[in-house]
């Protein structure tokens, strides 16, 4: 590029084609009329445009300044024509109606006819109010949740709940072995009691049920409080046996010699808990 050639300014550049600035429009380029549409404001019709002009200036719809509204409406129509956008016939009909109302209000009327003749704007006001009511109702309906726009139905396939293996049965020997371990821990908290505490098996059954859940398993050893001593541990064990006898709790063991777990209620298809080192 020669030094004598000046670079085009940003105002002169119309577009960039393959990285090169274009400053002049092609003279042989044909663009169909409907190939490019420009919308400054989205209006549903002439009444929507009039309502927009009135609301934008906080005007009273019952006392419309026809001269000013007509001037703004015609400015919009001329803008649409300059942009070569095809105007619907209803826009032109509304422009003629505004011009007629404006002329009727500007022409002098005899004093006797002022009381008899209705306001030329009455019909336009009625149509605007009716259109505004329908528009607000449509906006309220459109704001409601809609399937495939706001709500998307979900579908999920139920998981396979078949057991891969049966839970081993817990024998009384395993239960007594676990209880012996709890008794051994209880001896560490043996202390002299001045007065005897009243322990109720039925109350302990209620307390044990409150600690259990149907959705998860609770280790057998967590149902005892070694700080209560031998008597408290024995009462808790008797409460568990009574609950097992009544079928109010379920006891499982993942495999032989594994920790024992309990949960509320009987039945269900949940897998037994895996082995841990809590025992």
């Amino acid at each position: 590029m020669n030094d004598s050639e000046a670079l085009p300014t940003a105002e002169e550049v119309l577009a960039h084609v393959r990285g090169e600035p274009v400053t002049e429009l092609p003279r042989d380029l044909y663009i169909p009329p409907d190939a490019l549409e420009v919308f400054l404001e989205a209006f549903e019709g002439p009444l929507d445009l009039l309502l927009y002009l009135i609301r934008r200036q906080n005007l009273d719809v019952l006392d419309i300044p026809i001269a000013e509204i007509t001037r703004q409406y015609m400015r919009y129509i001329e803008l649409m024509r300059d942009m070569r956008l095809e105007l619907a016939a209803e826009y032109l009909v509304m422009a003629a109606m505004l011009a007629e109302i404006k002329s009727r209000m500007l022409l002098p009327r005899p004093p006797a006819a002022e009381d008899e003749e209705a306001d030329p704007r009455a019909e336009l006001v009625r149509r605007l109010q009716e259109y505004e009511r329908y528009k607000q109702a449509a906006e309220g309906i459109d704001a409601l949740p809609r399937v495939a726009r706001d709500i998307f139905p979900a579908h999920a396939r139920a998981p396979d709940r078949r057991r891969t293996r049966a839970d081993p049965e817990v024998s009384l020997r395993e239960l007594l072995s676990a209880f012996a371990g709890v008794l051994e821990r209880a001896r560490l908290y043996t202390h002299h009691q001045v007065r005897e505490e009243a322990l109720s098996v039925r109350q302990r059954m209620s307390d044990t049920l409150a600690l259990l859940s149907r959705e998860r398993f609770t280790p057998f050893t967590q149902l005892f409080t070694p700080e209560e001593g031998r008597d408290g541990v024995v009462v808790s064990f008797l409460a568990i046996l009574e609950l097992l006898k009544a079928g109010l709790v379920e006891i499982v063991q993942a495999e032989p010699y594994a920790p024992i777990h309990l949960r509320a209620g009987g039945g269900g298809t949940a897998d037994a808990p895996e082995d841990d080192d809590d025992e």
Side-chain angles (χ1 to χ4, degrees):
M1 179 181 295
N2 299 331
D3 296 338
S4 59
E5 297 181 0
L7 295 175
T9 61
E11 292 76 7
E12 296 176 348
V13 176
L14 300 177
H16 287 82
V17 179
R18 296 181 179 181
E20 297 295 332
V22 177
T23 58
E24 295 182 1
L25 292 175
R27 300 184 181 276
D28 57 348
L29 179 62
Y30 171 73
I31 301 178
D34 55 350
L36 179 63
E37 294 184 358
V38 181
F39 297 93
L40 297 181
E41 294 288 349
F43 299 114
E44 299 295 335
L47 289 176
D48 197 21
L49 173 58
L50 279 178
L51 193 61
Y52 166 77
L53 296 175
I54 293 173
R55 295 309 182 196
R56 187 181 65 176
Q57 303 181 65
N58 295 324
L59 300 177
D60 186 4
V61 71
L62 299 178
D63 188 16
I64 304 174
I66 290 296
E68 180 62 23
I69 291 298
T70 302
R71 183 182 62 81
Q72 296 184 15
Y73 184 88
M74 295 306 299
R75 180 188 300 173
Y76 180 83
I77 296 298
E78 294 298 330
L79 177 63
M80 297 285 285
R81 288 178 175 174
D82 293 340
M83 296 171 60
R84 298 183 181 179
L85 295 180
E86 184 179 356
L87 287 175
E90 55 185 1
Y91 282 92
L92 301 178
V93 172
M94 179 58 67
M97 181 179 179
L98 289 175
E100 179 187 1
I101 296 175
K102 178 181 177 181
S103 62
R104 289 174 60 187
M105 296 188 67
L106 293 177
L107 291 176
R109 289 177 293 177
E114 291 183 357
D115 299 335
E116 299 177 0
E117 187 177 358
D119 191 342
R121 302 171 297 178
E123 178 63 20
L124 179 61
V125 170
R126 184 192 64 80
R127 293 178 58 184
L128 283 173
Q129 290 178 327
E130 185 177 0
Y131 174 78
E132 187 176 15
R133 287 195 298 268
Y134 280 105
K135 181 178 180 180
Q136 292 176 353
E139 291 175 352
I141 295 176
D142 185 67
L144 296 176
R146 185 181 303 173
V147 177
R149 187 193 68 177
D150 307 303
I151 302 175
F152 301 91
H155 302 280
R157 185 175 61 88
D160 188 6
R161 301 182 64 86
R162 292 178 299 177
R163 290 188 177 184
T164 57
R165 57 175 179 148
D167 298 330
E169 296 183 358
V170 181
S171 63
L172 182 59
R173 181 180 301 177
E174 294 290 337
L175 194 60
L176 291 176
S177 177
F179 178 64
V182 177
L183 286 177
E184 186 65 25
R185 297 179 186 178
R187 292 192 183 98
L188 301 177
Y189 296 92
T190 302
H191 60 278
H192 176 69
Q193 297 181 357
V194 178
R195 61 184 180 84
E196 183 179 357
E197 296 180 359
L199 299 175
S200 171
V201 176
R202 183 170 297 277
Q203 179 62 36
R204 189 57 54 90
M205 291 172 62
S206 301
D207 297 340
T208 302
L209 280 177
L211 295 176
L212 298 178
S213 172
R214 292 182 61 90
E215 289 75 21
R216 60 181 178 85
F217 289 91
T218 302
F220 175 77
T221 55
Q222 290 187 5
L223 301 177
F224 298 87
T225 306
E227 291 83 356
E228 293 181 345
R230 179 182 294 269
D231 294 342
V233 171
V234 171
V235 171
S236 297
F237 184 70
L238 292 177
I240 294 175
L241 292 179
E242 289 293 332
L243 292 173
L244 287 172
K245 180 180 178 181
L248 298 177
V249 298
E250 180 184 3
I251 183 168
V252 297
Q253 189 178 37
E255 60 186 29
Y257 307 106
I260 300 173
H261 293 76
L262 292 88
R263 72 174 181 181
T269 58
D271 293 335
E274 298 180 359
D275 297 345
D276 52 30
D277 298 329
D278 294 338
E279 188 69 3

